[in-house]
Amino acid sequence: ANKTVTANNSITLNLSVFDQLSNITNLIIYGGNSSNLDYNNILLINNSIQNGSSTNITYNFSSLPIKPTGTDGLLLLMHFDNSSTEENGTHIKDFSITPQTNGTCTTASGNNTCPTWNSSGGYFAGAFDFDGVNDYITFGDVLDFERKDNFSFVFWLKPNSTTDQFIVAKQDNFVAGEGYYINVGSEVSFNLINNQNTNSIGIATSSASLNVNTWYQIVVVFNGSSNSSGASQAANTKIYVDGVNEPTTITADSLTATTVTSESLQIGCREGCSFARFNGTIDEVAIWNRSLSDTEIANLFNLTAGKYFWKANATDSAGNVNNTAIQQFSMGTAPVVSLVYLTNNSYLNTR
């Protein structure tokens, strides 16, 4: 691996692909902080290797995809890579350990249509493009949160608009509806609701502004176990943009009743999808049943000092897969050179 360490803790991975038999249909690069590299470690997918060509691929390895441990409180993990045999364009796999909460959508006409899967359009590999008209993913009646719960939301997004748009929501379209939602526009906001007007918690960033066509990592952390009678509940909510705990403004702080709802958890719009539908790209959505720490959030956004591993594999038109050896490096070490020949006379050169 040819590695260039930059000031923001990123490493450049260089890969040369030689398609001598003109039959490479899919190339995947994996990366992680252990040598156990699987579907949870996909960094890049390339389906456009030209037949008979020599292709140089450069990937800026700056963040790790989320990988479940089974003991970290992870409730939902959507990589949006469409890489497992258990997922496709209408069935989206939850990679959290158990119980899994898979997402669905349909290509039928009307308000329930699938976002477009983009194999190389994500922050990590694939992602879903939402059209702002009628695209969303639904999970059914799952993952309710109350005002004394701890929980965290993490996702990457690239908006096409700065108007108010729902990213993650479990609430119906009416003001009186219980539930929660995360909204982005010129700011990022979170609301936990019994009644939107009279009984809710609301918080919004006061200085972070999002630009179109730019990737951002958004994190919402709620520490409900700190809530007590007479104390500010909204003050126990934090919003992070690109690893930074942003200054916020409290927009509501009157929640005293239940927020449980039978509405579906959705990505891309709120139940009914009548307005504020997301227009842009969403990747790597995760929900925990605990409050992530500042250190955990910083580590999710950027690589830290330590040992890392990566590999690549190529799939041909017959379904045969050839892998490079697993490459190991540490931040700041000198490059290591190796050449890996593949058995189908195509080869990957990892420098």
Side-chain angles (χ1 to χ4, degrees):
N2 184 338
K3 304 174 288 295
T4 304
V5 180
T6 59
N8 67 337
N9 295 335
S10 66
I11 294 176
T12 300
L13 305 180
N14 297 314
L15 183 71
S16 298
V17 184
F18 300 88
D19 187 13
Q20 294 181 341
L21 294 185
S22 301
N23 66 347
I24 293 179
T25 59
N26 190 46
L27 176 81
I28 299 178
I29 297 177
Y30 304 78
N33 52 14
S34 81
S35 59
N36 179 23
L37 301 174
D38 57 21
Y39 289 127
N40 293 291
N41 299 101
I42 295 177
L43 301 176
L44 178 142
I45 299 173
N46 189 315
N47 296 324
S48 59
I49 304 297
Q50 296 297 312
N51 289 343
S53 70
S54 172
T55 303
N56 295 317
I57 296 174
T58 298
Y59 179 78
N60 185 40
F61 188 11
S62 60
S63 303
L64 287 173
I66 296 166
K67 189 163 187 172
T69 65
T71 59
D72 56 0
L74 191 62
L75 300 176
L76 182 78
L77 176 59
M78 314 301 293
H79 292 307
F80 292 160
D81 290 334
N82 200 13
S83 57
S84 163
T85 57
E86 301 175 55
E87 58 184 337
N88 52 49
T90 61
H91 181 85
I92 301 95
K93 181 177 172 59
D94 171 17
F95 281 86
S96 65
I97 303 297
T98 54
Q100 291 184 325
T101 307
N102 297 319
T104 60
C105 61
T106 178
T107 55
S109 61
N111 280 338
N112 186 5
T113 61
C114 290
T116 302
W117 183 67
N118 187 331
S119 64
S120 59
Y123 190 83
F124 300 109
F128 278 105
D129 296 329
F130 294 75
D131 65 5
V133 178
N134 56 4
D135 290 353
Y136 68 94
I137 298 169
T138 184
F139 299 87
D141 180 12
V142 296
L143 303 187
D144 283 298
F145 294 111
E146 293 273 37
R147 64 188 181 89
K148 293 203 172 183
D149 292 336
N150 294 341
F151 52 86
S152 302
F153 293 81
V154 177
F155 53 87
W156 289 85
L157 85 166
K158 183 171 68 170
N160 293 332
S161 169
T162 57
T163 59
D164 286 341
Q165 306 165 81
F166 293 110
I167 304 301
V168 179
K170 191 179 193 295
Q171 189 208 16
D172 71 20
N173 265 328
F174 299 100
V175 168
E178 296 91 347
Y180 58 83
Y181 62 81
I182 300 173
N183 186 287
V184 301
S186 57
E187 60 187 20
V188 182
S189 64
F190 170 76
N191 289 76
L192 185 62
I193 303 158
N194 172 266
N195 180 290
Q196 185 83 49
N197 290 337
T198 62
N199 203 326
S200 68
I201 293 171
I203 189 170
T205 56
S206 54
S207 61
S209 59
L210 304 185
N211 298 315
V212 299
N213 300 318
T214 302
W215 277 108
Y216 297 96
Q217 185 202 61
I218 307 297
V219 181
V220 175
V221 175
F222 188 81
N223 187 6
S225 61
S226 298
N227 291 335
S228 59
S229 178
S232 171
Q233 301 177 67
N236 294 317
T237 310
K238 297 179 181 180
I239 297 176
Y240 298 75
V241 178
D242 289 348
V244 176
N245 184 2
E246 292 289 340
T248 53
T249 299
I250 294 175
T251 58
D253 199 9
S254 58
L255 183 61
T256 59
T258 183
T259 58
V260 172
T261 176
S262 61
E263 302 295 346
S264 295
L265 173 66
Q266 296 185 170
I267 294 175
C269 72
R270 191 166 59 176
E271 184 71 22
C273 286
S274 61
F275 69 99
R277 295 159 291 218
F278 180 67
N279 184 354
T281 307
I282 299 176
D283 196 10
E284 197 77 358
V285 178
I287 303 175
W288 283 263
N289 65 1
R290 63 184 180 87
S291 302
L292 297 180
S293 68
D294 288 350
T295 299
E296 287 177 306
I297 293 166
N299 291 346
L300 285 175
F301 175 68
N302 207 187
L303 298 182
T304 58
K307 186 181 297 183
Y308 295 91
F309 303 82
W310 75 287
K311 72 173 184 177
N313 65 36
T315 303
D316 66 17
S317 55
N320 300 309
V321 179
N322 288 313
N323 293 277
T324 68
I326 295 176
Q327 310 290 320
Q328 175 182 323
F329 62 88
S330 296
M331 297 291 286
T333 59
V336 176
V337 178
S338 65
L339 182 64
V340 180
Y341 288 89
L342 302 182
T343 57
N344 69 350
N345 293 325
S346 298
Y347 61 91
L348 307 179
N349 181 8
T350 58
R351 297 175 296 122

